[in-house]
Amino acid sequence: MNRLCPTEKTLSEYTSNVISPENRKLVERHLASCAECRKLVIDTYDLLNRFDRWKMLRNIKNFILHNKWGIASAVFLLLSFIHPRYFLQFLVASLITGTKWIIDSKQTKMLIMIHEALKTTDKEKIESIVTQSGRKR
């Protein structure tokens, strides 16, 4: 950046859409002629779009919802060591929720379906199961 370039604060305001309309026009006019500032703004936009906080929170929420039984199992297992007086109770709860997690998982259901299809040796059924699993990924 040279001394005629906008400050980083001004460019930050520009990328955050909190800049005044008259300053926005000045920055855009400058960006049209300054490749260095233009690259900085483009890199900033890319970084902001890559780090989408709401998307990350949705991913965490989905992970928790899809693995709630596994998380509960881990918590019960941890509690069995934290509270030794209730070791067996928490251990049994951990085993029950862990089993529920395994039974509810999509992979387990898929394996059961494949096993049933293999028992009947129905090749069309096996192919339909495999193609369905490929589409859901």
Side-chain angles (χ1 to χ4, degrees):
M1 285 184 154
N2 61 40
R3 62 183 181 91
L4 299 175
C5 293
T7 64
E8 289 178 0
K9 182 178 184 245
T10 304
L11 291 176
S12 173
E13 290 172 353
Y14 176 78
T15 56
S16 301
N17 286 327
V18 293
I19 195 168
S20 65
E22 56 272 356
N23 284 343
R24 172 175 288 285
K25 289 179 184 177
L26 291 172
V27 170
E28 288 173 349
R29 195 173 313 134
H30 175 76
L31 290 174
S33 63
C34 182
E36 191 175 339
C37 290
R38 194 169 45 247
K39 173 141 178 47
L40 183 62
V41 168
I42 290 170
D43 289 345
T44 304
Y45 273 126
D46 287 344
L47 184 63
L48 289 174
N49 289 334
R50 205 174 308 143
F51 182 72
D52 184 2
R53 185 176 305 170
W54 297 113
K55 183 178 178 182
M56 184 175 65
L57 290 174
R58 277 192 309 272
N59 289 341
I60 292 171
K61 179 183 172 188
N62 287 336
F63 176 80
I64 291 171
L65 288 176
H66 288 106
N67 295 297
K68 61 186 169 214
W69 294 110
I71 294 168
S73 178
V75 168
F76 285 132
L77 184 63
L78 181 66
L79 286 172
S80 71
F81 291 106
I82 293 175
H83 299 289
R85 182 175 182 188
Y86 302 106
F87 178 78
L88 287 177
Q89 290 89 339
F90 283 127
L91 191 61
V92 168
S94 176
L95 289 172
I96 291 170
T97 55
T99 304
K100 176 74 172 151
W101 179 48
I102 291 169
I103 290 172
D104 281 354
S105 73
K106 290 180 183 177
Q107 291 83 5
T108 304
K109 290 177 183 176
M110 183 67 62
L111 288 174
I112 291 170
M113 288 172 40
I114 290 172
H115 177 70
E116 291 297 320
L118 287 173
K119 282 198 309 190
T120 62
T121 62
D122 187 359
K123 293 188 182 215
E124 290 177 8
K125 190 174 181 181
I126 295 170
E127 288 177 13
S128 71
I129 291 170
V130 171
T131 55
Q132 285 177 355
S133 69
R135 276 190 242 137
K136 290 182 182 177
R137 286 185 186 180

